[in-house]
């Protein structure tokens, strides 16, 4: 029974392996060496190790988890950057978009040059490019585009991503450490400076409970009260029946 759970092909086996991979990778991600931790990247390492020892997953369940996980990832990023997105877009929008397009074009150019020089398949190098810049949504887009174009999946895309991703993470960490020491950057001072310049904007709501006793507000809608008070607020619970939304 235990061998079937580890090396079988059932749905229970798939769920168990996924849970074990996430749990073990999260646990290892808490380990710090020299004050640096790879974090959730350990989950990828654990997944590679499990796959090496033959702990495969059901393709249908894997496809669902992959798509659902990508959706959750993108949604979480959106929720994180959402409060300050439009403010930063108005302030540095053109510059940031130009840099993004530039990085993308350079990545595509380098990938094409490596493909021509080494004779490696451009399909495989697409996954390598996504892994080198630790861009998981790019991996999903590349896989979906290939599937829509060719009518079948291509495992080499994910393989190239898995090979390049760890080196991309480690390279990024080493680059930041080198830049920090070369330019003598103090993270605490930089964080304080960014807050003073309002580059990092937080919009934490004030949560209050009020009791309305003014009879002039009876029967008023929330938007009408907001206009009268000249204040923006959100009513999460309104037990008083006189205040209608």
């Amino acid at each position: 029974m235990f061998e079937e759970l580890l090396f079988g092909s059932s749905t229970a086996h798939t769920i168990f392996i996924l849970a074990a991979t996430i749990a073990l990778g999260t646990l290892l991600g808490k380990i710090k060496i020299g004050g640096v931790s790879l974090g959730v990247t350990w989950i990828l390492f654990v997944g590679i190790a499990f796959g090496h020892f033959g702990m495969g997953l059901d393709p249908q369940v894997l496809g669902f988890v992959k798509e659902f996980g990508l959706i959750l990832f993108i949604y979480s990023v959106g929720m994180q950057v959402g409060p300050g997105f439009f403010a930063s877009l108005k302030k540095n929008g053109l510059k940031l978009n130009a840099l993004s397009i530039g990085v993308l074009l350079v990545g595509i150019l380098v990938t094409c040059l490596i493909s021509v020089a080494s004779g490696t398949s451009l399909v495989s190098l697409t996954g390598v490019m996504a892994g080198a810049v630790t861009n998981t949504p790019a991996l999903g887009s590349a896989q979906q585009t290939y599937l829509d174009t060719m009518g079948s999946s291509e495992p080499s895309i994910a393989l190239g991503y898995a090979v390049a991703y760890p080196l991309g993470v480690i390279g990024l960490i080493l680059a930041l450490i080198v830049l920090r020491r070369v330019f003598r950057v103090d993270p605490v001072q930089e964080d304080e400076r960014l807050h003073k310049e309002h580059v990092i904007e937080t919009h934490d709501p004030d949560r209050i409970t009020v009791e309305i006793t003014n009879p002039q507000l009876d029967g008023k809608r929330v938007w009408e009260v907001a206009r009268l008070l000249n204040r923006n607020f959100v009513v999460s619970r309104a037990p008083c029946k006189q205040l209608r939304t």
Side-chain angles (χ1 to χ4, degrees), residues 19-34:
T21 302
I22 295 172
L24 185 56
T26 303
L27 183 63
L28 292 173
K30 297 180 179 180
I31 301 175
K32 291 185 177 181
I33 301 177

Side-chain angles (χ1 to χ4, degrees), residues 97-213:
N97 279 281
L99 288 173
S100 301
I101 295 174
V103 170
L104 180 62
L105 293 178
V106 170
I108 294 174
L109 178 61
V110 172
T111 303
C112 293
L113 291 176
I114 294 176
S115 177
V116 173
S118 65
T120 306
S121 170
L122 189 60
V123 176
S124 301
L125 287 177
T126 302
V128 173
M129 182 184 71
V133 296
T134 64
N135 194 334
T136 304
L139 169 66
S141 299
Q143 290 178 317
Q144 188 62 47
T145 301
Y146 188 90
L147 179 62
D148 294 340
T149 304
M150 306 302 295
S152 61
S153 59
E154 177 52 57
S156 64
I157 299 177
L159 181 60
Y161 173 87
V163 171
Y165 187 93
L167 298 178
V169 173
I170 296 174
L172 178 60
I173 293 174
L174 293 177
L176 290 175
I177 293 175
V178 171
L179 290 175
R180 175 184 171 183
R181 293 183 176 179
V182 170
F183 294 100
R184 299 180 180 179
V185 177
D186 187 344
V188 177
Q189 293 181 357
E190 288 297 315
D191 187 59
E192 293 177 353
R193 182 182 65 82
L194 290 175
H195 276 92
K196 290 179 180 180
E197 295 178 357
H198 303 288
V199 176
I200 300 177
E201 298 184 2
T202 57
H203 302 275
D204 296 330
D206 297 322
R207 298 176 177 85
I208 60 174
T209 300
V210 299
E211 181 182 357
I212 299 176
T213 59

Side-chain angles (χ1 to χ4, degrees), residues 16-32 37-50 165:
F16 174 78
I17 294 299
L18 288 173
T21 302
I22 295 172
L24 185 56
T26 303
L27 183 63
L28 292 173
K30 297 180 179 180
I31 301 175
K32 291 185 177 181
S37 171
L38 295 181
V40 295
T41 307
W42 273 108
I43 297 177
L44 176 62
F45 293 148
V46 175
I48 293 174
F50 281 7
Y165 187 93

